[in-house]
């Protein structure tokens, strides 16, 4: 069984996220999605984030047919460990990570880059609400 890993905040789900999951799942048999804890999102994106709590974000991800397993993490070393424990052979990240360090990549055989879908962004969605 080929295991694929991807991760992110997945705070306000949109089509770009769904296309990422669909693409990642197409690369293997089992898709594991890592999700940042509320504290980690807040540290990275500011006090107004996440918009949805980790419980809500996990519940939404559990309803997506492409996702087989969800794991949470609170720090880079925990993310690295989760990738190792998942047994992922492939890690899928956004194409903006080309030429950057991908946490956990030392445990996988391959890194695949996903081109973000133009016009879809959680930040843009939330800014539009204000």
């Amino acid at each position: 069984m080929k295991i694929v890993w991807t991760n992110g905040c997945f705070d306000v789900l949109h089509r770009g996220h769904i296309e990422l999951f669909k693409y990642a799942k197409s690369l293997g048999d089992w898709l594991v999605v890592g999700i940042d804890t509320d504290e980690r999102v807040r540290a990275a994106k500011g006090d107004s984030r996440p918009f949805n709590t980790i419980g809500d974000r996990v519940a939404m991800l559990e309803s997506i047919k492409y996702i087989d397993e969800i794991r949470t993490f609170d720090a880079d070393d925990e993310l690295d460990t989760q990738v190792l424990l998942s047994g992922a052979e492939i890690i899928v990240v956004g194409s903006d990570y080309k030429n950057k360090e991908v946490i956990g990549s030392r445990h996988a055989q391959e890194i695949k880059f996903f081109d973000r879908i133009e016009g879809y962004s959680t930040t843009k969605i939330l800014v539009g609400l204000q």
Side-chain angles (χ1 to χ4, degrees), residues 4-50:
V4 180
W5 172 279
T6 194
N7 63 270
C9 301
F10 307 116
D11 189 6
V12 175
L13 292 177
H14 52 71
R15 181 177 175 195
H17 293 133
I18 301 303
E19 294 298 330
L20 165 67
F21 302 141
K22 184 178 179 180
Y23 170 71
K25 178 67 176 204
S26 76
L27 300 173
D29 305 301
W30 189 262
L31 176 59
V32 182
V33 175
I35 183 171
D36 298 272
T37 63
D38 292 346
E39 295 76 17
R40 185 169 165 93
V41 174
R42 199 170 294 111
K45 298 186 180 275
D47 289 338
S48 64
R49 298 282 300 276

